[in-house]
Amino acid sequence: MRIVGEAELPLHEGKAPPWLYSRMKALGREIIRTIVNEFGRREFLLRISDPYWFQSLGCVLGYDWHSSGVTTVLTAVIREVLDEEDLGIALCGGKGKRALETPDEIERKGEALSLGYQSIEELKRVSRLAAKVDNAAVQDGHTIYHHALLFTEDGEWAVIQQGMNVEKRTARRYHWISQNIRGFLMDPHYGVIAESREEVLNLAAGESEENRRASLDLIREGRSKLEGLIEEMRAGPLSPYLGVRCLKMPLRIDWKAVEVANQMDPRDYEELLLIRGIGPSLLRALSLVAEVIYDAPASRRDPARYSFAFGGKDGVPFPVRPKLMDRAAEVLRSGIIQSRLSDYEKREALLRLSGGSR
């Protein structure tokens, strides 16, 4: 498992008009079917989990190139296509209420793809853990409101989820893929992109391992000990080695969750994340206590990178990569040409891909 990308986009409201959505679905169906038939289910997951390819697909289908809506609308299109086509791939979840229904949907669609009980339960765990990591372990100011899990009849999976920052009116999209499994808490963010860097608490980074271990020890100490340490931190001088911005102790802490976690005695940090009630505030409090009292610093490294897919003409943040641009365009172009669309629809799609107009 690794996150292969993250995108930060302006938060836009509104819905795709029916005339556009129907055409997105028609063209999307042909591209998805062509990729799966020509290259296989694994290749489709790899492409859809690439934030640049995902964004490009949204553009080819005619949606806004730079909008939070491309995530929700394009995911809905993919969902309907996969529901209607027999491609051995399912998509579960979505925006708001649909995201909460993901576990039941995984079970239903997993059985339809003839997956066994253990495989279905593992997919449920993947879904919950991916959401918890991006919502609580990586605290970047964005709250998850869209969560979608794609999986194949072979048991491989990808996650596409999006969080919003209401104050800044931005959205970040997070992509996960099951290939090259390393773990949910060992620098899973690979090739992450965004328009800006945030001040974050990154408990999913490799350098946060000692902090995570100390946090688990604090849970095992119990509520009384943790309460005392937090009060001590709030009342007394803090470590001179730490900046004030890193020591913003949450005002409210779910002490019931601390008691539950203490009783359950999680074996590792992943198990801690999956306990109901363990959220961003409690994880931050544990992390700060571990940092100040036990000298176990957590990472403040934003996993995001700039959102230049192929570089900038002035060499910022890196020089343009024309071969990569050509390859991305060719992949999309081949999908359009091999589809069963009419000649007119193909011409329109190719024009959008090339940036041309009628």
Side-chain angles (χ1 to χ4, degrees):
M1 174 283 310
R2 59 190 178 117
I3 299 180
V4 297
E6 174 183 311
E8 184 174 283
L9 305 164
L11 190 58
H12 290 170
E13 299 176 352
K15 296 182 179 180
W19 63 265
L20 173 60
Y21 188 84
S22 62
R23 286 167 174 79
M24 290 179 69
K25 185 176 173 183
L27 177 55
R29 182 190 308 277
E30 298 304 327
I31 292 177
I32 292 170
R33 187 159 45 194
T34 299
I35 291 172
V36 174
N37 290 337
E38 292 292 325
F39 306 106
R41 292 182 287 268
R42 172 179 288 187
E43 180 65 20
F44 174 71
L45 288 188
L46 281 171
R47 294 187 186 186
I48 212 66
S49 63
D50 184 321
Y52 308 135
W53 197 92
F54 186 95
Q55 203 75 11
S56 298
L57 179 59
C59 295
V60 169
L61 299 188
Y63 204 75
D64 297 339
W65 75 274
H66 196 50
S67 165
S68 62
V70 72
T71 306
T72 54
V73 174
L74 183 52
T75 301
V77 167
I78 295 170
R79 176 196 182 96
E80 291 190 23
V81 169
L82 295 178
D83 283 348
E84 296 168 6
E85 298 289 327
D86 185 17
L87 298 174
I89 308 174
L91 188 152
C92 303
K95 182 179 178 181
K97 184 180 178 180
R98 275 195 180 276
L100 300 177
E101 298 171 349
T102 303
D104 293 336
E105 197 172 8
I106 290 173
E107 188 165 338
R108 186 172 67 255
K109 292 186 176 181
E111 290 175 352
L113 291 181
S114 301
L115 291 178
Y117 173 80
Q118 289 186 339
S119 295
I120 291 174
E121 289 302 306
E122 177 59 20
L123 287 171
K124 291 181 183 178
R125 178 179 178 275
V126 165
S127 172
R128 291 181 58 206
L129 199 46
K132 264 298 185 73
V133 167
D134 286 337
N135 208 42
V138 178
Q139 299 184 25
D140 56 10
H142 293 75
T143 303
I144 300 297
Y145 71 97
H146 174 278
H147 171 83
L149 172 75
L150 296 93
F151 61 89
T152 71
E153 61 185 26
D154 309 302
E156 296 180 313
W157 55 264
V159 172
I160 299 172
Q161 53 193 6
Q162 186 158 283
M164 72 165 69
N165 185 313
V166 178
E167 293 182 359
K168 295 184 178 181
R169 296 195 60 77
T170 58
R172 277 192 175 194
R173 188 174 69 239
Y174 311 81
H175 293 247
W176 297 68
I177 186 71
S178 60
Q179 296 188 34
N180 301 321
I181 292 176
R182 293 186 58 207
F184 284 76
L185 298 167
M186 290 300 295
D187 290 303
H189 300 81
Y190 176 81
V192 180
I193 61 170
E195 282 211 334
S196 62
R197 296 179 185 272
E198 304 288 340
E199 290 184 1
V200 307
L201 176 64
N202 187 357
L203 296 171
E207 58 263 36
S208 292
E209 184 174 1
E210 187 177 350
N211 185 272
R212 293 193 297 266
R213 190 181 303 114
S215 296
L216 277 173
D217 290 339
L218 287 167
I219 286 291
R220 295 182 181 118
E221 290 281 354
R223 172 176 177 173
S224 179
K225 177 68 177 293
L226 183 58
E227 277 187 306
L229 291 172
I230 288 177
E231 288 305 314
E232 179 182 336
M233 285 180 57
R234 284 173 170 162
L238 298 175
S239 169
Y241 301 105
L242 301 172
V244 174
R245 67 179 182 181
C246 300
L247 294 167
K248 188 177 180 181
M249 181 64 70
L251 296 176
R252 296 182 60 185
I253 294 174
D254 189 342
W255 293 109
K256 182 63 177 177
V258 174
E259 294 172 356
V260 170
N262 176 261
Q263 294 172 3
M264 295 182 67
D265 190 22
R267 292 174 300 176
D268 54 36
Y269 204 83
E270 286 188 10
E271 284 194 4
L272 176 65
L273 284 176
L274 291 174
I275 295 174
R276 189 175 299 276
I278 301 294
S281 294
L282 179 54
L283 293 181
R284 176 174 287 271
L286 289 169
S287 175
L288 294 180
V289 173
E291 187 161 358
V292 173
I293 305 299
Y294 298 110
D295 192 26
S299 173
R300 260 75 186 184
R301 173 171 51 84
D302 190 346
R305 298 293 183 266
Y306 292 100
S307 59
F308 288 81
F310 307 108
K313 66 181 178 64
D314 297 323
V316 179
F318 51 83
V320 172
R321 299 173 179 173
K323 290 184 179 179
L324 188 59
M325 291 180 68
D326 294 343
R327 173 59 181 156
E330 184 58 36
V331 167
L332 289 169
R333 188 178 295 110
S334 65
I336 296 169
I337 293 173
Q338 295 179 52
S339 71
R340 297 184 297 180
L341 295 169
S342 67
D343 290 341
Y344 172 79
E345 290 171 321
K346 287 181 181 180
R347 284 197 302 272
E348 291 294 298
L350 290 170
L351 274 173
R352 287 196 296 273
L353 178 60
S354 64
S357 59
R358 296 172 61 187

